[in-house]
Structures are given as C-alpha cells and as structure tokens.
Amino acid sequence: MRTAAVAAAAALLLASCTSGEGDDQSGGPAGCDTGKGTLVIGVIAPLSGAMVAQGRGIENATRLAVDQANEDCTVNGYKLTAQVQDDGMNPKLGAQAATMLATTPNLVGVVSTLNSSVATSVAPVLDKAGILQISPANTNDQLTRGEDFRENPKRQFRTYFRTCTVDSLQGPFAANYLVENAGKKKIAVVTDGLTYGEGLANTFVEQAENKGATIVTRQRIEPGTKDFTKLVAALRPFEPDAVYIGGHYPEAAPMSAQLAANGLKIPVMGGDGIFNDTYLTAGGRDGDLATSVGAPVEDLDSAQAFAKAYEEAGYQEGFGAYGAFAYDAANAIIGALATTVGEDKWSDSKRDDLVANAGRYQGDGATGKVSFDEFGDTRNHVLTVYEQRAGAWQAVETGEYVD
C-alpha cells in the first residue's frame, strides 16, 4: 500500500525505538507456566501520519491476539509480548524498524506492514534474518510472486506471507462492478504514483477495457495533495462518467468533494486504500465506491466474535479495514510458534521450522479460513464492493473475482 515522505516520522520512530513506547509491559498470564521466559511478536505499522488510524487497528488487533494466547497458555512455558514500531508510511523508516526488531532477543515473528511500498524495504531485512513476517494489508502481487507474476511467478521472500488477497484480483473485481453493475463506460483513472496505487490501477484498467469501458485519461497526483484544481481541469474535457483512483483516502476524499464542487458530480471508486470511515467525513460523497478484502464483519460469525472481543478490550481506535487480518496474521504466527516450540525451548535455530510451520498453518480466523499457498499468499480470495450511502459504507456485492 501507500508510502509518503513524512519528515517528522523519523523523530517519532527514534523516540519509540529509544523509549520502548508501545511495548507490552504487563505481567505474566495468571495460571500459565511461563518459566521458559518471554517471546516477542513484532509489529511494524504507521503510527504517525495520514494512515495512523489503520496502523493503530493493526497494532491493537495484534495485541488482542497476544493477550488471548497468553490467557489460553497457547505457547507452552512462555509468555508472549508485542513490540511495536512506527514506519511512518516511509520505506526507509520501515527498514530501520525491521532492522531494530531483527536484533531483538527472542523475536519470533512480525505482523507487518500496512503499505506495500514499505514492505519492499521491510521484507528483505526480515527475510535475510530468517524472521517470519505476515502482512495483514499488503496487496501488491509482486511482493510474493515477482515482477512477472502472471507469466512466471517466483517466490520473492521465503519468510513473507499475507492474510489479505491481492490487487490482481481486487482491481478486476472493481472493474466488473463499475462497468457491468454501475454501467460506467468512460472512466478516468487517477493514481498517486506509489507501489499500491499503480499496481491496483493497472489491474483495474486491464479488466475495465476487457469489459468494454474506455479509459478516457490517466492522471497522476502527488501523495499529500489537497488542492485538486489542476486535476479537475485535466479531467473535465474528457467528460468521464466515473473516476477510479489508485491511492488512499487522505487524497481520494477531498478529490471527490472538489470534483463535485466543480461540476463533475460523478462517482469516485477506489480499492481498500480508501475504505475507511475517515473517507466518509473528509469529502466522500454518497454514490462513491470502494472495494476491500474479505467479507463484511456482519456476514461472518468469526468476525463478529473478533469485533466483540476487540470492543471489550477497550481500545480507543476502531480496528479498521485490516484489524481482522492483523488478528489472523498474529494468530498464524502464534499457532505456528506453538507447533514449533512444543515441549522444547525456543531458540533462533528454530526460525526455519517456524517459517515452514507457518506455510502449513490452517486455522479458523476472523476473516474466515486462514491458510497460505506456495507463494505465501492467502487462499482466501473473498472481496467486497461498498457504496457510500447516507454517509456510511454499505456492502453491495461480496464474492470472489471470476474472469
């Protein structure tokens, strides 16, 4: 997903690294034998910047999984703790965070990252160290299967997995709905130039054109853009009947508002990067559309159980679009860890076994069945289209992409 050059994030990361802010300092779980010590599950997510709400959801959901595992004495003889690092949506800060975690004693795995562009710098660091990484939110196909992922897929990082599905499915799923269901034929495409946005837009464009739509223009904006006067002027001559954005809600929401204010009262559609409640209040309009990975919470009993536990835990922030996927990622790490440790003691020499057990992991998660294919991708390919109606996201179609 998204990255941005956030200068202040470097200072925030340094502060969190040196102060230990965000680390779980609670005592051992009652009734469990924790005599073997403490094992660490890392988190790398944006805890500063425009996407902080999503980052906090990932952090909190991971903590929930850790707390539940401690209550259930899941890993024999050990207490689990979460250690959290802020990547500020910045690949360089992400690499620093990964390097710090890689040197943390008794680190067993990392739930990370939100942004695909950050993952491109984090995954090599963790992979070189042999550390298990499971992302709840990266959707760019190249992270698991390489640049030529359609014709010649090759696994890129042995230790990298993800619980969310990929853009090569999400983009076409959106195109099918916008062209066939919404009847839009003249579509303008806007991207933010980042790994997530460009990859998602590419897959959308290909399928939209296959379905008979015309991409009337493709424009690029800079991350952090707030004034879309030039974009409106660039789009107007093409008279599009919809805009598809490969990007995120901090830009997409005000873009939608400014399009309408300047006479282009047409729907804006995007991927999971705009599926956030902030979009609804920052300029999003009724009729705008978003796809997101997975099924709506209300459609899954397992997701409702997660949502209830999350609420009862008292976190200040909502779990957002990726909290359930982070919860499943953390539980996959914990489940694989329990199998790997068994009655023995953990050591870094067991990292290869842990990665292998993660590859074999099968569980009933908040998002449904959790398991991984030979590339580390989830086998759960469910997607949902949401429409903004009366100031809220309403699910309008759920399923798997079928060509």
Side-chain angles (χ1 to χ4, degrees), residues 108-131:
V108 294
V110 183
V111 177
S112 76
T113 57
L114 173 68
N115 309 93
S116 290
S117 51
V118 177
T120 61
S121 66
V122 168
V125 174
L126 297 180
D127 189 65
K128 183 177 180 180
I131 296 169

Side-chain angles (χ1 to χ4, degrees), residues 185-197:
K185 301 296 184 181
K186 297 172 61 179
I187 304 169
V189 173
V190 177
T191 66
D192 61 7
L194 302 178
T195 301
Y196 163 74

Side-chain angles (χ1 to χ4, degrees), residues 78-338:
Y78 285 101
K79 175 196 170 187
L80 303 180
T81 187
Q83 182 168 321
V84 185
Q85 298 290 339
D86 177 17
D87 63 37
M89 304 179 297
N90 186 308
K92 290 183 179 179
L93 298 183
Q96 292 175 21
T99 300
M100 175 162 289
L101 285 175
T103 61
T104 298
N106 291 327
L107 180 79
V108 294
V110 183
V111 177
S112 76
T113 57
L114 173 68
N115 309 93
S116 290
S117 51
V118 177
T120 61
S121 66
V122 168
V125 174
L126 297 180
D127 189 65
K128 183 177 180 180
I131 296 169
L132 174 63
Q133 174 187 0
I134 305 183
S135 170
N138 299 156
T139 55
N140 184 266
D141 292 80
Q142 296 183 29
L143 287 166
T144 49
R145 291 174 285 154
E147 185 173 352
D148 190 13
F149 61 87
R150 294 185 187 277
E151 302 299 328
N152 187 29
K154 293 182 180 178
R155 185 157 191 175
Q156 301 301 291
F157 306 106
R158 182 181 60 87
T159 68
Y160 178 90
F161 299 80
R162 54 180 153 199
T163 53
C164 61
T165 196
V166 292
D167 291 335
S168 60
L169 303 178
Q170 184 178 190
F173 191 76
N176 284 355
Y177 187 88
L178 192 60
V179 177
E180 297 180 338
N181 295 63
K184 305 304 179 183
K185 301 296 184 181
K186 297 172 61 179
I187 304 169
V189 173
V190 177
T191 66
D192 61 7
L194 302 178
T195 301
Y196 163 74
E198 295 295 333
L200 181 62
N202 289 342
T203 63
F204 171 86
V205 166
E206 181 179 1
Q207 183 65 8
E209 290 179 335
N210 287 341
K211 291 296 180 179
T214 299
I215 305 303
V216 294
T217 183
R218 182 162 175 164
Q219 302 287 331
R220 179 172 168 176
I221 60 172
E222 291 298 318
T225 298
K226 298 302 179 186
D227 184 348
F228 294 93
T229 303
K230 291 182 179 179
L231 177 67
V232 171
L235 296 184
R236 193 188 303 280
F238 295 97
E239 299 181 345
D241 56 15
V243 174
Y244 185 83
I245 181 167
H248 300 86
Y249 61 82
E251 293 78 31
M255 182 191 76
S256 179
Q258 291 177 45
L259 287 173
N262 288 277
L264 290 176
K265 297 181 180 180
I266 56 178
V268 169
M269 186 178 198
D272 54 315
I274 79 168
F275 180 62
N276 185 274
D277 285 349
T278 303
Y279 181 89
L280 306 171
T281 58
R285 297 171 290 119
D286 281 5
D288 286 353
L289 299 158
T291 52
S292 191
V293 291
V297 170
E298 60 269 21
D299 291 349
L300 295 171
D301 290 341
S302 55
Q304 292 180 55
F306 158 74
K308 181 180 179 182
Y310 189 98
E311 180 180 4
E312 290 176 347
Y315 300 114
Q316 292 183 354
E317 307 86 1
F319 53 79
Y322 309 108
F325 292 93
Y327 180 76
D328 287 350
N331 277 320
I333 293 174
I334 293 166
L337 176 64

Side-chain angles (χ1 to χ4, degrees), residues 34 93 95 320 324 340:
T34 58
L93 298 183
T340 303

